[in-house]
Amino acid sequence: VTGIDQEQDRLIAAYIRGTADPEAVARLEEAMLDDDELFERVQQEALLQRGLKTTLMESDSPATSKSTIWRWPGFALIGTLGLAVVVLGGINVHLNGELEQLRSPHTDVPVITLFEERSLLTESIGLVASRQEGPVLIEIDVSASEQDRFQLELKSANLNHSWENLTPDDRGYVTVYLPHVEFPLQLEVLNEFGQRIRSYTLE
Amino acid sequence: VNDLSTDPGDLVARIAAGDRAAEAELVRRYGPKIEFILRQRVREASLAADLCQEALIVVIERLRGSGLEQPGKLAAFLRQTAVNLAIGEARTYYRRNTHADSERVDLTAHGAPLMVDLVEQEQLADAIRQLLGELTQARDRQILRRFYLSEEPKASICASLEVTPEHFDRVLHRARQRFRVIIEARLGPFHNGRFGDKP
């Protein structure tokens, strides 16, 4: 990496951010008009900045998931939802029936809340859920974990979803949205390195 | 690096001589770049596209008529025309002065989309997640987050994270390089306004 490369990197980044001084902007834009390679670098920086902003903002929000889920109308309200639930720790825990369904005061989307119950130790966690139809939110209390990012994998007969870079909200919950739900449902909470922290089976 | 095959001065001379193919070449070569420049100013993509077309018409008419005193400075003239059009008063001025012959300016060559328009939001988010996932140091992720999302100045990020400016630059440079590799691995190399074509 040369100093010239890095200086140009800085100028391009400032240009896309809108913080470059007008003279530097004029020089860069004129150079870009006759330099395809430079134009490509500028476009790539614009793409990188857009991607980082949207992805980091998404991961910062209380309810995060892949972009298909973001398309759901009203999903932005999810951050205000819920009471919580869950499981986590470093050990498998059994929650017999610790499953609640709460209704969002804002979206009317049912919420399955997995409350933490660290005192129960078993190999697997079997939960009995009231059968839901249509969209549902699943909130998991991960406040017992020292991790700050999580992955969630969900599998059922016809569903296969995964979420990455889930960040707990202020309460210590991660929230995901499912447009459809079917049971039995297998849920796995992983840390950011892909190591399994806890598994659930919802029946 | 100038990757362009025709010298801008030659292009100006050919347009002055009535060469319509040279006009199409000008539109194809500069159209996407002018549109990108305009998007930096007006942000609204459709308005930027309209202004881009106006800028190209204005420039081509000028080249057909009085020409440029310094043909080698075609890029500067193009840019200044576009920037002026992004300013309301200048836009009105140029619209008033665009004569009927502009109907015959062929803008169909301006077909190459911008890179930012070619990548779906979901593809972009996946690529960014991969990029962030490959950063093993939490501090490096913090640098990207604070610089790009919070838009903090480099100096304050370096001070609070106790990293040198050189380390900061290396993290960003590597992230850019890696991002390019990730995008091209997913969509193919970017060339001539599209992904997937071999140069």
Short mmCIF file of all heavy atoms in Angstrom, two decimals, chain A residues 43-55 58 67, chain B residues 115-132 179 182-183 186-187:
data_model
loop_
_atom_site.label_atom_id
_atom_site.label_comp_id
_atom_site.label_asym_id
_atom_site.label_seq_id
_atom_site.Cartn_x
_atom_site.Cartn_y
_atom_site.Cartn_z
N GLN A 43 -16.92 4.39 -7.28
CA GLN A 43 -18.22 3.70 -7.18
C GLN A 43 -18.17 2.61 -6.11
O GLN A 43 -19.13 2.40 -5.37
CB GLN A 43 -18.57 3.06 -8.52
CG GLN A 43 -18.97 4.06 -9.60
CD GLN A 43 -19.60 3.32 -10.77
OE1 GLN A 43 -20.79 3.12 -10.83
NE2 GLN A 43 -18.77 2.91 -11.70
N GLN A 44 -17.04 1.92 -6.06
CA GLN A 44 -16.91 0.85 -5.07
C GLN A 44 -16.96 1.43 -3.66
O GLN A 44 -17.57 0.84 -2.76
CB GLN A 44 -15.59 0.13 -5.29
CG GLN A 44 -15.41 -1.08 -4.39
CD GLN A 44 -13.99 -1.60 -4.44
OE1 GLN A 44 -13.47 -1.86 -5.51
NE2 GLN A 44 -13.37 -1.73 -3.29
N GLU A 45 -16.35 2.58 -3.47
CA GLU A 45 -16.39 3.22 -2.14
C GLU A 45 -17.83 3.62 -1.79
O GLU A 45 -18.27 3.46 -0.64
CB GLU A 45 -15.48 4.45 -2.12
CG GLU A 45 -15.49 5.23 -0.81
CD GLU A 45 -14.87 4.46 0.36
OE1 GLU A 45 -14.12 3.50 0.12
OE2 GLU A 45 -15.14 4.85 1.52
N ALA A 46 -18.54 4.12 -2.79
CA ALA A 46 -19.95 4.49 -2.55
C ALA A 46 -20.75 3.26 -2.14
O ALA A 46 -21.59 3.31 -1.23
CB ALA A 46 -20.54 5.13 -3.80
N LEU A 47 -20.48 2.16 -2.82
CA LEU A 47 -21.19 0.91 -2.52
C LEU A 47 -20.83 0.42 -1.11
O LEU A 47 -21.70 0.01 -0.33
CB LEU A 47 -20.80 -0.14 -3.56
CG LEU A 47 -21.65 -1.38 -3.71
CD1 LEU A 47 -23.08 -1.01 -4.09
CD2 LEU A 47 -21.05 -2.31 -4.76
N LEU A 48 -19.55 0.48 -0.79
CA LEU A 48 -19.09 0.04 0.53
C LEU A 48 -19.72 0.89 1.64
O LEU A 48 -20.21 0.37 2.65
CB LEU A 48 -17.56 0.13 0.61
CG LEU A 48 -16.92 -0.21 1.96
CD1 LEU A 48 -17.17 -1.67 2.32
CD2 LEU A 48 -15.42 0.06 1.93
N GLN A 49 -19.71 2.20 1.44
CA GLN A 49 -20.28 3.08 2.47
C GLN A 49 -21.78 2.83 2.64
O GLN A 49 -22.29 2.78 3.76
CB GLN A 49 -20.02 4.56 2.13
CG GLN A 49 -18.56 4.93 2.29
CD GLN A 49 -18.34 6.44 2.32
OE1 GLN A 49 -19.25 7.21 2.56
NE2 GLN A 49 -17.09 6.86 2.08
N ARG A 50 -22.47 2.67 1.51
CA ARG A 50 -23.91 2.41 1.61
C ARG A 50 -24.16 1.08 2.32
O ARG A 50 -25.02 0.98 3.20
CB ARG A 50 -24.53 2.37 0.20
CG ARG A 50 -26.05 2.34 0.23
CD ARG A 50 -26.64 2.23 -1.15
NE ARG A 50 -26.68 0.83 -1.60
CZ ARG A 50 -27.09 0.43 -2.80
NH1 ARG A 50 -27.45 1.32 -3.69
NH2 ARG A 50 -27.11 -0.83 -3.13
N GLY A 51 -23.40 0.06 1.93
CA GLY A 51 -23.59 -1.25 2.54
C GLY A 51 -23.30 -1.26 4.02
O GLY A 51 -24.04 -1.84 4.81
N LEU A 52 -22.19 -0.63 4.41
CA LEU A 52 -21.84 -0.62 5.83
C LEU A 52 -22.88 0.15 6.65
O LEU A 52 -23.28 -0.28 7.72
CB LEU A 52 -20.46 0.01 6.02
CG LEU A 52 -19.27 -0.92 5.74
CD1 LEU A 52 -17.97 -0.14 5.65
CD2 LEU A 52 -19.16 -1.99 6.82
N LYS A 53 -23.31 1.27 6.11
CA LYS A 53 -24.29 2.06 6.86
C LYS A 53 -25.58 1.28 7.07
O LYS A 53 -26.10 1.18 8.18
CB LYS A 53 -24.60 3.37 6.12
CG LYS A 53 -23.58 4.45 6.40
CD LYS A 53 -24.01 5.76 5.80
CE LYS A 53 -22.98 6.84 6.11
NZ LYS A 53 -23.28 8.12 5.48
N THR A 54 -26.11 0.73 5.99
CA THR A 54 -27.39 0.06 6.12
C THR A 54 -27.26 -1.21 6.95
O THR A 54 -28.12 -1.52 7.78
CB THR A 54 -27.99 -0.28 4.74
OG1 THR A 54 -27.03 -1.04 4.00
CG2 THR A 54 -28.32 0.97 3.98
N THR A 55 -26.19 -1.96 6.74
CA THR A 55 -26.04 -3.22 7.45
C THR A 55 -25.77 -2.99 8.94
O THR A 55 -26.33 -3.67 9.80
CB THR A 55 -24.91 -4.06 6.83
OG1 THR A 55 -25.16 -4.20 5.44
CG2 THR A 55 -24.84 -5.44 7.47
N GLU A 58 -28.88 -1.80 10.57
CA GLU A 58 -29.81 -2.92 10.72
C GLU A 58 -29.41 -3.77 11.92
O GLU A 58 -30.25 -4.16 12.73
CB GLU A 58 -29.79 -3.76 9.44
CG GLU A 58 -30.76 -4.92 9.45
CD GLU A 58 -30.70 -5.70 8.14
OE1 GLU A 58 -30.54 -5.07 7.09
OE2 GLU A 58 -30.80 -6.92 8.20
N SER A 67 -32.60 -9.12 4.93
CA SER A 67 -33.36 -8.03 4.34
C SER A 67 -34.75 -8.44 3.87
O SER A 67 -35.62 -7.60 3.75
CB SER A 67 -32.60 -7.45 3.17
OG SER A 67 -32.33 -8.44 2.23
N MET B 115 -22.58 1.23 -10.81
CA MET B 115 -22.33 0.04 -9.99
C MET B 115 -23.33 -0.04 -8.83
O MET B 115 -23.82 -1.12 -8.50
CB MET B 115 -20.91 0.09 -9.43
CG MET B 115 -20.49 -1.15 -8.68
SD MET B 115 -18.91 -0.97 -7.82
CE MET B 115 -17.75 -0.93 -9.17
N VAL B 116 -23.61 1.11 -8.25
CA VAL B 116 -24.51 1.10 -7.08
C VAL B 116 -25.92 0.64 -7.45
O VAL B 116 -26.67 0.21 -6.58
CB VAL B 116 -24.59 2.48 -6.41
CG1 VAL B 116 -23.28 2.84 -5.74
CG2 VAL B 116 -24.99 3.56 -7.40
N ASP B 117 -26.26 0.73 -8.73
CA ASP B 117 -27.59 0.31 -9.15
C ASP B 117 -27.63 -1.17 -9.54
O ASP B 117 -28.70 -1.72 -9.78
CB ASP B 117 -28.06 1.14 -10.35
CG ASP B 117 -28.27 2.59 -9.97
OD1 ASP B 117 -28.52 2.86 -8.78
OD2 ASP B 117 -28.17 3.45 -10.86
N LEU B 118 -26.46 -1.79 -9.63
CA LEU B 118 -26.41 -3.17 -10.09
C LEU B 118 -26.43 -4.19 -8.95
O LEU B 118 -26.64 -5.37 -9.18
CB LEU B 118 -25.13 -3.39 -10.92
CG LEU B 118 -25.09 -2.71 -12.27
CD1 LEU B 118 -23.70 -2.80 -12.87
CD2 LEU B 118 -26.11 -3.34 -13.21
N VAL B 119 -26.18 -3.71 -7.75
CA VAL B 119 -26.08 -4.63 -6.62
C VAL B 119 -27.35 -4.54 -5.79
O VAL B 119 -27.69 -3.48 -5.27
CB VAL B 119 -24.85 -4.31 -5.75
CG1 VAL B 119 -24.71 -5.32 -4.62
CG2 VAL B 119 -23.59 -4.31 -6.60
N GLU B 120 -28.05 -5.65 -5.68
CA GLU B 120 -29.27 -5.68 -4.88
C GLU B 120 -28.92 -5.47 -3.41
O GLU B 120 -27.83 -5.86 -2.95
CB GLU B 120 -29.95 -7.05 -5.03
CG GLU B 120 -30.44 -7.37 -6.42
CD GLU B 120 -31.69 -6.60 -6.78
OE1 GLU B 120 -32.39 -6.14 -5.86
OE2 GLU B 120 -31.96 -6.44 -7.99
N GLN B 121 -29.85 -4.89 -2.68
CA GLN B 121 -29.60 -4.60 -1.27
C GLN B 121 -29.24 -5.86 -0.49
O GLN B 121 -28.36 -5.84 0.36
CB GLN B 121 -30.83 -3.92 -0.67
CG GLN B 121 -30.63 -3.44 0.76
CD GLN B 121 -29.48 -2.46 0.90
OE1 GLN B 121 -29.21 -1.67 0.00
NE2 GLN B 121 -28.76 -2.55 2.00
N GLU B 122 -29.90 -6.95 -0.82
CA GLU B 122 -29.63 -8.17 -0.09
C GLU B 122 -28.24 -8.72 -0.41
O GLU B 122 -27.52 -9.21 0.47
CB GLU B 122 -30.69 -9.22 -0.43
CG GLU B 122 -30.64 -10.41 0.51
CD GLU B 122 -31.89 -11.26 0.41
OE1 GLU B 122 -32.88 -10.81 -0.18
OE2 GLU B 122 -31.87 -12.37 0.93
N GLN B 123 -27.85 -8.61 -1.69
CA GLN B 123 -26.50 -9.04 -2.08
C GLN B 123 -25.46 -8.19 -1.35
O GLN B 123 -24.44 -8.70 -0.87
CB GLN B 123 -26.31 -8.88 -3.58
CG GLN B 123 -27.14 -9.81 -4.44
CD GLN B 123 -27.01 -9.48 -5.92
OE1 GLN B 123 -26.99 -8.30 -6.30
NE2 GLN B 123 -26.92 -10.50 -6.76
N LEU B 124 -25.73 -6.90 -1.29
CA LEU B 124 -24.80 -5.99 -0.64
C LEU B 124 -24.70 -6.30 0.85
O LEU B 124 -23.60 -6.36 1.42
CB LEU B 124 -25.26 -4.54 -0.86
CG LEU B 124 -24.40 -3.44 -0.25
CD1 LEU B 124 -22.97 -3.52 -0.78
CD2 LEU B 124 -25.00 -2.08 -0.57
N ALA B 125 -25.84 -6.52 1.48
CA ALA B 125 -25.84 -6.81 2.92
C ALA B 125 -25.08 -8.11 3.20
O ALA B 125 -24.31 -8.20 4.16
CB ALA B 125 -27.27 -6.91 3.44
N ASP B 126 -25.26 -9.12 2.36
CA ASP B 126 -24.54 -10.38 2.54
C ASP B 126 -23.03 -10.17 2.41
O ASP B 126 -22.24 -10.74 3.17
CB ASP B 126 -25.01 -11.41 1.51
CG ASP B 126 -26.38 -11.98 1.86
OD1 ASP B 126 -26.81 -11.81 3.01
OD2 ASP B 126 -27.02 -12.57 0.97
N ALA B 127 -22.65 -9.37 1.42
CA ALA B 127 -21.23 -9.12 1.21
C ALA B 127 -20.63 -8.37 2.41
O ALA B 127 -19.53 -8.68 2.86
CB ALA B 127 -21.01 -8.30 -0.07
N ILE B 128 -21.38 -7.42 2.92
CA ILE B 128 -20.89 -6.65 4.07
C ILE B 128 -20.80 -7.55 5.31
O ILE B 128 -19.84 -7.47 6.08
CB ILE B 128 -21.83 -5.46 4.36
CG1 ILE B 128 -21.77 -4.44 3.21
CG2 ILE B 128 -21.48 -4.79 5.69
CD1 ILE B 128 -20.45 -3.73 3.06
N ARG B 129 -21.78 -8.41 5.48
CA ARG B 129 -21.71 -9.33 6.63
C ARG B 129 -20.48 -10.23 6.53
O ARG B 129 -19.82 -10.51 7.52
CB ARG B 129 -22.98 -10.19 6.68
CG ARG B 129 -24.21 -9.42 7.14
CD ARG B 129 -25.37 -10.36 7.42
NE ARG B 129 -26.61 -9.63 7.48
CZ ARG B 129 -27.48 -9.55 6.48
NH1 ARG B 129 -27.27 -10.19 5.36
NH2 ARG B 129 -28.58 -8.84 6.61
N GLN B 130 -20.21 -10.69 5.31
CA GLN B 130 -19.01 -11.52 5.14
C GLN B 130 -17.76 -10.72 5.47
O GLN B 130 -16.86 -11.20 6.16
CB GLN B 130 -18.94 -12.04 3.69
CG GLN B 130 -17.72 -12.94 3.47
CD GLN B 130 -17.63 -13.48 2.05
OE1 GLN B 130 -18.61 -13.49 1.30
NE2 GLN B 130 -16.44 -13.91 1.65
N LEU B 131 -17.73 -9.48 4.98
CA LEU B 131 -16.57 -8.62 5.25
C LEU B 131 -16.38 -8.42 6.75
O LEU B 131 -15.27 -8.58 7.27
CB LEU B 131 -16.78 -7.27 4.56
CG LEU B 131 -15.73 -6.19 4.83
CD1 LEU B 131 -14.39 -6.57 4.20
CD2 LEU B 131 -16.18 -4.84 4.29
N LEU B 132 -17.44 -8.09 7.44
CA LEU B 132 -17.34 -7.86 8.88
C LEU B 132 -16.99 -9.15 9.61
O LEU B 132 -16.24 -9.13 10.59
CB LEU B 132 -18.66 -7.29 9.41
CG LEU B 132 -19.03 -5.89 8.90
CD1 LEU B 132 -20.44 -5.51 9.35
CD2 LEU B 132 -18.04 -4.85 9.41
N PHE B 179 -13.49 -6.04 0.23
CA PHE B 179 -14.86 -5.82 -0.24
C PHE B 179 -14.92 -6.03 -1.76
O PHE B 179 -15.84 -6.67 -2.27
CB PHE B 179 -15.31 -4.41 0.12
CG PHE B 179 -16.69 -4.06 -0.38
CD1 PHE B 179 -17.80 -4.70 0.11
CD2 PHE B 179 -16.86 -3.08 -1.35
CE1 PHE B 179 -19.08 -4.39 -0.35
CE2 PHE B 179 -18.11 -2.75 -1.81
CZ PHE B 179 -19.22 -3.41 -1.31
N ILE B 182 -14.79 -9.72 -2.47
CA ILE B 182 -16.04 -10.39 -2.10
C ILE B 182 -17.13 -10.11 -3.14
O ILE B 182 -17.83 -11.02 -3.59
CB ILE B 182 -16.50 -9.93 -0.70
CG1 ILE B 182 -15.55 -10.46 0.38
CG2 ILE B 182 -17.93 -10.40 -0.41
CD1 ILE B 182 -15.79 -9.88 1.76
N ILE B 183 -17.25 -8.86 -3.51
CA ILE B 183 -18.28 -8.50 -4.49
C ILE B 183 -18.01 -9.20 -5.82
O ILE B 183 -18.93 -9.75 -6.45
CB ILE B 183 -18.32 -6.96 -4.69
CG1 ILE B 183 -19.02 -6.29 -3.50
CG2 ILE B 183 -19.02 -6.57 -5.97
CD1 ILE B 183 -20.52 -6.53 -3.43
N ARG B 186 -18.83 -12.80 -5.86
CA ARG B 186 -20.28 -13.07 -5.89
C ARG B 186 -20.90 -12.70 -7.23
O ARG B 186 -21.81 -13.37 -7.70
CB ARG B 186 -20.98 -12.28 -4.78
CG ARG B 186 -20.69 -12.81 -3.40
CD ARG B 186 -21.07 -11.83 -2.32
NE ARG B 186 -20.78 -12.37 -1.00
CZ ARG B 186 -21.68 -12.94 -0.21
NH1 ARG B 186 -22.93 -13.02 -0.61
NH2 ARG B 186 -21.34 -13.42 0.96
N LEU B 187 -20.44 -11.62 -7.84
CA LEU B 187 -21.11 -11.10 -9.03
C LEU B 187 -20.26 -11.14 -10.29
O LEU B 187 -20.75 -10.86 -11.38
CB LEU B 187 -21.55 -9.65 -8.79
CG LEU B 187 -22.46 -9.41 -7.58
CD1 LEU B 187 -22.71 -7.94 -7.37
CD2 LEU B 187 -23.78 -10.14 -7.78
#
